[in-house]
Amino acid sequence: MAGLGLLWRLWPATMPGLLPVLVVVGLSGLLDGGPSWSLAEDVLFTSLGWSSLALLYALCVYATLALRARGTGLPVTVDALAATQERAFPAAEAERLRAALAGSGRAYDVTGAGESWDFRWRPFRGRRTVAGSLTVDRTSGEARVLLRADERPRGLPGLRGAGAFVALCQVTRLRRTG
């Protein structure tokens, strides 16, 4: 499985979310009856339950990324969590890509002229955006799209952590339909 590395990266990253639960279970058990075997069992079973839920969450995020990347030719690997994503397109498609960017509801602040365009892209419905640029190199014959996430999202990792990858999937689809 090509994306197994991504799954193993997502799963432990969600584990810190269970730490407050373990602290609450441990402290409530200590306050109720002091240290005991039942307290150890409670902490153990709580941690197993939460780590199972974290694995399920990681599987859902992986499946969602695979679904978003379907048909784009982009591999769903550990690199999907990188803050910077880049892809080259044939130079002949640069004009169609520019027109699609200018007409898309997800793109805004589209500026530039000639061989270089800058834009902001909303990969999700919220306020979070990624910065993008489209440059055309006539000598190599390719148009290059570079997307950069401005800040690491807070909270559980997942789709928001892969915002630049999701945006690259959307721009790739936009190129085909635009």
Side-chain angles (χ1 to χ4, degrees):
M1 178 182 230
L4 195 56
L6 175 61
L7 183 63
W8 290 123
R9 180 88 128 340
L10 285 170
W11 185 29
T14 59
M15 295 295 198
L18 72 96
L19 189 61
V21 174
L22 292 177
V23 169
V24 167
V25 168
L27 285 178
S28 68
L30 278 175
L31 293 175
D32 285 343
S36 66
W37 283 109
S38 66
L39 173 63
E41 288 174 354
D42 287 348
V43 170
L44 175 70
F45 287 123
T46 302
S47 63
L48 286 175
W50 278 100
S51 61
S52 298
L53 288 175
L55 178 61
L56 182 63
Y57 175 74
L59 282 168
C60 289
V61 169
Y62 176 78
T64 303
L65 288 175
L67 184 66
R68 292 200 184 224
R70 186 177 56 180
T72 62
L74 295 169
V76 182
T77 62
V78 176
D79 296 333
L81 296 177
T84 301
Q85 300 287 328
E86 187 173 13
R87 184 159 189 192
F89 298 99
E93 297 179 7
E95 279 304 316
R96 184 180 343 158
L97 191 55
R98 280 187 203 148
L101 279 173
S104 174
R106 291 188 181 270
Y108 67 97
D109 287 345
V110 181
T111 59
E115 307 298 318
S116 179
W117 285 61
D118 294 322
F119 59 93
R120 303 287 303 169
W121 187 269
R122 284 187 189 94
F124 308 111
R125 289 188 174 98
R127 295 179 299 181
R128 296 198 185 272
T129 63
V130 296
S133 65
L134 169 67
T135 56
V136 179
D137 185 8
R138 298 288 179 197
T139 60
S140 67
E142 64 184 16
R144 191 163 289 285
V145 173
L146 178 69
L147 297 162
R148 295 169 307 280
D150 293 337
E151 62 184 56
R152 295 303 290 171
R154 294 175 293 282
L156 288 176
L159 287 180
R160 288 179 294 169
F165 179 77
V166 170
L168 185 60
C169 292
Q170 292 167 343
V171 168
T172 301
R173 272 206 183 83
L174 183 69
R175 171 194 59 106
R176 291 182 180 179
T177 61

